[in-house]
Amino acid sequence: MRTCVLCAALVVGGHVSAAVAQTLEVGIIDFYGLREVAEKDLRGALGVSEGAQLDREDWAASKSDVVARLEALTNVVAARIQAVCCDEGKVTLYLGIQEDARTVFELHPAPQADVVLPDEIVATGERFAQAMMEAIQAGDSGDDMSQGHSLVSNPVMRAEQEKLLVYAEEYRQIIRDVLRKAADDDQRAIAAWTLGYAADKASVVDDLLYAVRDSNEVVRNNATRALAAIAQLGQAQPALGIEIPFEPFIDMLNSIEWSDRNKAGFVLRTLTETGDPELLEQLRERTLESLAEMAQWKSSGHAMAYFLILGRIAGMSDEEIFEAFSTGGRAEAVNALLELIGAHGPLKPRLRLAR
């Protein structure tokens, strides 16, 4: 599996990282999954601090050793590190751990079939991936999802996306077969990306939901991002009859993989807009610890979705939530939300308030 450097955006294959600068400064280090393990112990095992210069090739070579040191810590069953580029030109490191052996997010076994996409779809994915990194580093990353799929402002990228509107119809069945059956991870990742451009969005929801539990995190990333765009269209146009169940994304919020949590927040930010009481109660019962932790992330762009969801669980209006997010200290704001939520029922006994 090739690891994406820019999982905050869509990833279509392993070619993205080639466009990233060779050396990047570490701007933020943040954490998730901490219940009993102390942050200082993780920082010690990580061996990298804010302000360090991160050489891309050296980091790739040493990452497995860092993960091994983290997993050697008491109470750490598994660990993950994700480098996310770029916030004000600096890389953010997200360090996640799992403290017990429970499987919180079940995945499908890796498929084994020798089935592949048409060459023109693969070539489109490769060109888009290259153009994406260049555009984001240039600050040209505007994205419109109002039609139920991504259409970016960058003309080079958009030209590639518009080809998918044709491919998703012309090659619908082979794309579905690749998504569910292909042994190659990159093929499935590109298939998930392409299928989101189908004209009949409701008809591809089941295939994309299947891919949300793919064995490969990049496939999950692309499928979940496609469903987030479809969810936005469904909310805006209820007559389309688009229904996206929330259960897989609640499980995703507790995943050890950063990209799972990132994209789950993207979907649930939209699905909680209606104030569905069952969804909000499930989030309160099953994800408060994770939401409270992620709402404190130092990157405002990454923390906002989780803070918004917490505020909706607490019964606040979006206007009140955005004001709370933008004024005062984040830790104090998260603690205030948790206290409001606690007024409607008992908090989990092990929930740590904002640090």
Short mmCIF file of all heavy atoms in Angstrom, two decimals, residues 2-33:
data_model
loop_
_atom_site.label_atom_id
_atom_site.label_comp_id
_atom_site.label_asym_id
_atom_site.label_seq_id
_atom_site.Cartn_x
_atom_site.Cartn_y
_atom_site.Cartn_z
N ARG A 2 0.58 2.17 -0.88
CA ARG A 2 1.33 3.43 -0.90
C ARG A 2 0.66 4.41 0.04
O ARG A 2 -0.56 4.54 0.03
CB ARG A 2 1.35 3.99 -2.32
CG ARG A 2 2.04 3.06 -3.33
CD ARG A 2 1.95 3.68 -4.71
NE ARG A 2 2.59 2.83 -5.68
CZ ARG A 2 1.99 2.34 -6.76
NH1 ARG A 2 0.73 2.61 -6.98
NH2 ARG A 2 2.65 1.58 -7.60
N THR A 3 1.44 5.13 0.82
CA THR A 3 0.88 6.02 1.82
C THR A 3 0.72 7.42 1.26
O THR A 3 1.66 7.99 0.71
CB THR A 3 1.79 6.08 3.06
OG1 THR A 3 1.93 4.75 3.57
CG2 THR A 3 1.21 6.98 4.12
N CYS A 4 -0.47 7.98 1.42
CA CYS A 4 -0.69 9.34 0.91
C CYS A 4 -0.09 10.36 1.86
O CYS A 4 -0.09 10.19 3.06
CB CYS A 4 -2.19 9.60 0.75
SG CYS A 4 -3.11 9.57 2.28
N VAL A 5 0.44 11.42 1.29
CA VAL A 5 0.98 12.52 2.08
C VAL A 5 -0.10 13.55 2.35
O VAL A 5 -0.11 14.21 3.38
CB VAL A 5 2.16 13.16 1.35
CG1 VAL A 5 2.66 14.39 2.07
CG2 VAL A 5 3.29 12.15 1.21
N LEU A 6 -1.05 13.66 1.44
CA LEU A 6 -2.07 14.70 1.57
C LEU A 6 -3.44 14.06 1.72
O LEU A 6 -4.29 14.18 0.87
CB LEU A 6 -2.06 15.62 0.35
CG LEU A 6 -2.88 16.90 0.55
CD1 LEU A 6 -2.17 17.85 1.48
CD2 LEU A 6 -3.16 17.58 -0.75
N CYS A 7 -3.68 13.36 2.82
CA CYS A 7 -4.95 12.66 3.00
C CYS A 7 -6.09 13.62 3.30
O CYS A 7 -7.24 13.20 3.35
CB CYS A 7 -4.84 11.62 4.09
SG CYS A 7 -4.01 10.12 3.52
N ALA A 8 -5.80 14.90 3.56
CA ALA A 8 -6.89 15.85 3.75
C ALA A 8 -7.66 16.06 2.47
O ALA A 8 -8.80 16.49 2.47
CB ALA A 8 -6.34 17.20 4.24
N ALA A 9 -7.03 15.78 1.35
CA ALA A 9 -7.69 15.92 0.05
C ALA A 9 -7.95 14.54 -0.52
O ALA A 9 -7.63 13.52 0.07
CB ALA A 9 -6.79 16.73 -0.89
N LEU A 10 -8.53 14.52 -1.69
CA LEU A 10 -8.74 13.27 -2.39
C LEU A 10 -7.40 12.66 -2.78
O LEU A 10 -6.46 13.36 -3.12
CB LEU A 10 -9.56 13.54 -3.65
CG LEU A 10 -9.71 12.39 -4.63
CD1 LEU A 10 -10.66 11.35 -4.06
CD2 LEU A 10 -10.22 12.90 -5.95
N VAL A 11 -7.31 11.34 -2.72
CA VAL A 11 -6.11 10.65 -3.15
C VAL A 11 -6.52 9.63 -4.20
O VAL A 11 -7.43 8.85 -3.99
CB VAL A 11 -5.42 9.94 -1.98
CG1 VAL A 11 -4.15 9.25 -2.43
CG2 VAL A 11 -5.09 10.94 -0.88
N VAL A 12 -5.85 9.66 -5.34
CA VAL A 12 -6.22 8.73 -6.41
C VAL A 12 -5.15 7.68 -6.68
O VAL A 12 -5.33 6.82 -7.50
CB VAL A 12 -6.56 9.49 -7.71
CG1 VAL A 12 -7.78 10.33 -7.53
CG2 VAL A 12 -5.40 10.34 -8.18
N GLY A 13 -4.06 7.74 -6.02
CA GLY A 13 -3.03 6.75 -6.25
C GLY A 13 -1.77 7.09 -5.48
O GLY A 13 -1.79 7.93 -4.60
N GLY A 14 -0.68 6.47 -5.83
CA GLY A 14 0.55 6.65 -5.08
C GLY A 14 1.47 7.70 -5.65
O GLY A 14 2.58 7.83 -5.20
N HIS A 15 1.00 8.45 -6.63
CA HIS A 15 1.89 9.40 -7.31
C HIS A 15 1.87 10.78 -6.67
O HIS A 15 2.65 11.64 -7.04
CB HIS A 15 1.48 9.52 -8.78
CG HIS A 15 1.44 8.20 -9.47
ND1 HIS A 15 2.57 7.56 -9.93
CD2 HIS A 15 0.40 7.38 -9.75
CE1 HIS A 15 2.23 6.40 -10.49
NE2 HIS A 15 0.93 6.26 -10.38
N VAL A 16 0.98 10.99 -5.70
CA VAL A 16 0.82 12.32 -5.13
C VAL A 16 2.08 12.79 -4.44
O VAL A 16 2.52 13.92 -4.62
CB VAL A 16 -0.36 12.31 -4.13
CG1 VAL A 16 -0.48 13.66 -3.44
CG2 VAL A 16 -1.65 11.99 -4.87
N SER A 17 2.69 11.93 -3.64
CA SER A 17 3.79 12.36 -2.80
C SER A 17 5.01 12.82 -3.61
O SER A 17 5.85 13.53 -3.10
CB SER A 17 4.20 11.24 -1.85
OG SER A 17 4.64 10.11 -2.57
N ALA A 18 5.10 12.44 -4.85
CA ALA A 18 6.26 12.82 -5.65
C ALA A 18 6.35 14.32 -5.87
O ALA A 18 7.42 14.86 -6.13
CB ALA A 18 6.21 12.11 -7.00
N ALA A 19 5.21 15.02 -5.75
CA ALA A 19 5.20 16.46 -5.99
C ALA A 19 5.47 17.26 -4.73
O ALA A 19 5.59 18.47 -4.79
CB ALA A 19 3.85 16.87 -6.59
N VAL A 20 5.56 16.60 -3.57
CA VAL A 20 5.77 17.31 -2.32
C VAL A 20 7.23 17.71 -2.19
O VAL A 20 8.13 16.98 -2.60
CB VAL A 20 5.35 16.42 -1.13
CG1 VAL A 20 5.60 17.13 0.19
CG2 VAL A 20 3.88 16.04 -1.26
N ALA A 21 7.49 18.88 -1.60
CA ALA A 21 8.86 19.33 -1.40
C ALA A 21 9.65 18.27 -0.63
O ALA A 21 9.11 17.55 0.22
CB ALA A 21 8.85 20.65 -0.62
N GLN A 22 10.94 18.18 -0.92
CA GLN A 22 11.77 17.15 -0.30
C GLN A 22 11.84 17.32 1.21
O GLN A 22 11.84 16.33 1.95
CB GLN A 22 13.19 17.20 -0.89
CG GLN A 22 14.14 16.16 -0.33
CD GLN A 22 13.72 14.74 -0.64
OE1 GLN A 22 13.11 14.49 -1.67
NE2 GLN A 22 14.04 13.81 0.24
N THR A 23 11.89 18.56 1.69
CA THR A 23 11.98 18.82 3.12
C THR A 23 10.87 19.77 3.54
O THR A 23 10.66 20.81 2.89
CB THR A 23 13.34 19.43 3.50
OG1 THR A 23 14.38 18.55 3.07
CG2 THR A 23 13.45 19.65 4.99
N LEU A 24 10.16 19.43 4.60
CA LEU A 24 9.10 20.26 5.13
C LEU A 24 9.28 20.45 6.62
O LEU A 24 9.74 19.55 7.32
CB LEU A 24 7.72 19.64 4.87
CG LEU A 24 7.18 19.70 3.44
CD1 LEU A 24 5.94 18.84 3.31
CD2 LEU A 24 6.88 21.13 3.04
N GLU A 25 8.93 21.63 7.11
CA GLU A 25 8.99 21.90 8.55
C GLU A 25 7.75 21.32 9.22
O GLU A 25 6.63 21.44 8.71
CB GLU A 25 9.07 23.40 8.80
CG GLU A 25 9.15 23.75 10.29
CD GLU A 25 9.24 25.25 10.52
OE1 GLU A 25 9.50 25.99 9.55
OE2 GLU A 25 9.04 25.67 11.68
N VAL A 26 7.93 20.72 10.38
CA VAL A 26 6.81 20.22 11.17
C VAL A 26 6.17 21.40 11.91
O VAL A 26 6.81 22.02 12.75
CB VAL A 26 7.25 19.14 12.18
CG1 VAL A 26 6.08 18.69 13.03
CG2 VAL A 26 7.86 17.96 11.44
N GLY A 27 4.94 21.71 11.58
CA GLY A 27 4.26 22.84 12.22
C GLY A 27 3.44 22.42 13.42
O GLY A 27 3.40 23.12 14.43
N ILE A 28 2.76 21.28 13.32
CA ILE A 28 1.86 20.80 14.37
C ILE A 28 2.08 19.31 14.57
O ILE A 28 2.28 18.57 13.62
CB ILE A 28 0.38 21.04 13.99
CG1 ILE A 28 0.07 22.55 13.90
CG2 ILE A 28 -0.57 20.36 14.97
CD1 ILE A 28 -1.31 22.84 13.32
N ILE A 29 2.05 18.89 15.83
CA ILE A 29 1.97 17.47 16.17
C ILE A 29 0.74 17.29 17.04
O ILE A 29 0.59 17.99 18.06
CB ILE A 29 3.22 16.96 16.91
CG1 ILE A 29 4.46 17.15 16.04
CG2 ILE A 29 3.06 15.49 17.29
CD1 ILE A 29 5.76 16.81 16.75
N ASP A 30 -0.16 16.42 16.64
CA ASP A 30 -1.37 16.21 17.43
C ASP A 30 -1.67 14.73 17.55
O ASP A 30 -1.06 13.91 16.86
CB ASP A 30 -2.56 16.97 16.83
CG ASP A 30 -3.14 17.98 17.81
OD1 ASP A 30 -3.19 17.65 19.01
OD2 ASP A 30 -3.54 19.08 17.38
N PHE A 31 -2.64 14.41 18.43
CA PHE A 31 -2.80 13.04 18.89
C PHE A 31 -4.28 12.64 18.92
O PHE A 31 -5.16 13.49 18.98
CB PHE A 31 -2.22 12.90 20.31
CG PHE A 31 -0.79 13.31 20.41
CD1 PHE A 31 -0.44 14.65 20.60
CD2 PHE A 31 0.22 12.38 20.32
CE1 PHE A 31 0.88 15.04 20.69
CE2 PHE A 31 1.55 12.76 20.41
CZ PHE A 31 1.89 14.09 20.58
N TYR A 32 -4.51 11.32 18.88
CA TYR A 32 -5.85 10.79 19.10
C TYR A 32 -5.75 9.36 19.60
O TYR A 32 -4.73 8.69 19.42
CB TYR A 32 -6.69 10.86 17.83
CG TYR A 32 -6.15 10.11 16.64
CD1 TYR A 32 -6.47 8.78 16.39
CD2 TYR A 32 -5.29 10.75 15.72
CE1 TYR A 32 -5.96 8.09 15.29
CE2 TYR A 32 -4.78 10.06 14.62
CZ TYR A 32 -5.13 8.74 14.42
OH TYR A 32 -4.63 8.06 13.33
N GLY A 33 -6.80 8.93 20.27
CA GLY A 33 -6.85 7.58 20.84
C GLY A 33 -6.28 7.49 22.24
O GLY A 33 -6.24 6.40 22.83
#
